[in-house]
Every structure is written in structure tokens, then in C-alpha cells.
Amino acid sequence: MFDKKEEDAVEYYLKAISLGETKAYSNLEYYLYKRGRSIDEFENLEKTIEKINYKLDRGKSIFIEGKNKIEQGKRDNNYSLIKEGIKQLKKSVHLGFYDAIKDIIDYYENEEKTKSNLIELFKYKQKSVYYGISN
């Protein structure tokens, strides 16, 4: 079982989801991700969420999907899966979840220093300055 504060937070997000708040699903997913949990752990949650169109604000959800693909790609030594995860992180930035910029910068700083990788690194470092995100 989880502690009372987490239970209250999940309950709050579920209420917001049931009221049709479009950002509530991705906020709940991100909240659980930061606590090392996932939505899959809650049996009745999917049924509640299926009734609501939560795809309007998916920046955080796409970020989490991308991070999971990157982690799986690293475990399996699957470079194409890592690249797919990076694409999802970039998509989450385009959808307004700017915290993903930190992970994109980390990726390009540790990648091979090709011309295209350095261009991407520079581009996302500029975005981090523009959005006031420190690494």
C-alpha cells in the first residue's frame, strides 16, 4: 500500500480526470513516475481514464514513454529504441513539457560528437537558456 499523502494525490488527480480536466492524466502519470510508480499498478484507473479523452495534453505522458524506451534500449543495447525514445522526448518539448530538454542535452553530451549531434546539442542548450531550465 502507499502512504496517505500519495493516496490523497492520486485521489485528487482521479477526481480531476473524472471532471474532464485534460491535463490531469498526464500530471498523474508524471507524479507517479517521479515516485517510481506507474499507472499500471492501479487496476481500476484504466477504466476511469478510458472514458475521458486525455490526449489533448500529453507532453508529460510522451516524456515518460520516451524515457521508458530509452531505458529499455540501454538494457537491450538497442540503439534504434534509444533514438525512438529521444524523438518522443523532443515531441514532449514541442507539446510544452520543457523539463525534457535536460534529458535531451544529457543524451547529446554523452553521444558521439558528430556534426548533427553537436547541432542538436547546441539547439537544445539554447532552448534550455530560453526556457530558464538549468541542467
Side-chain angles (χ1 to χ4, degrees):
M1 199 69 184
F2 44 91
D3 67 334
K4 187 67 173 159
K5 289 181 183 180
E6 185 176 89
E7 184 178 290
D8 290 342
V10 170
E11 200 171 301
Y12 170 80
Y13 286 122
L14 287 177
K15 180 151 177 91
I17 290 168
S18 69
L19 294 172
E21 177 58 46
T22 57
K23 294 182 179 185
Y25 175 82
S26 59
N27 286 339
L28 171 61
E29 192 172 30
Y30 186 69
Y31 171 80
L32 292 172
Y33 173 78
K34 288 301 236 179
R35 296 181 67 94
R37 314 265 323 263
S38 81
I39 283 186
D40 298 339
E41 295 177 38
F42 301 90
E43 296 173 15
N44 297 326
L45 191 57
E46 283 300 317
K47 292 176 187 170
T48 305
I49 292 168
E50 284 175 6
K51 298 175 185 174
I52 301 161
N53 181 6
Y54 61 87
K55 295 188 183 220
L56 296 176
D57 178 48
R58 297 260 310 160
K60 290 178 185 174
S61 298
I62 291 172
F63 167 77
I64 292 167
E65 291 169 13
K67 288 288 284 184
N68 289 337
K69 282 188 180 182
I70 291 168
E71 289 172 17
Q72 183 180 354
K74 287 179 180 178
R75 279 192 308 269
D76 300 344
N77 290 327
N78 185 340
Y79 186 71
S80 64
L81 197 56
I82 294 172
K83 291 296 274 183
E84 195 175 315
I86 292 297
K87 282 183 185 179
Q88 286 186 297
L89 294 185
K90 289 178 180 181
K91 184 176 180 181
S92 72
V93 170
H94 292 293
L95 292 172
F97 187 67
Y98 304 119
D99 283 347
I101 292 171
K102 292 184 261 185
D103 294 287
I104 296 169
I105 289 172
D106 287 342
Y107 171 76
Y108 283 114
E109 283 180 338
N110 296 318
E111 268 303 286
E112 182 182 339
K113 305 296 183 210
T114 64
K115 184 178 180 180
S116 63
N117 284 350
L118 290 173
I119 290 170
E120 288 296 306
L121 176 62
F122 179 73
K123 184 168 91 173
Y124 281 93
K125 280 192 173 189
Q126 281 184 317
K127 286 184 183 204
S128 72
V129 170
Y130 181 80
Y131 292 114
I133 296 168
S134 60
N135 221 10

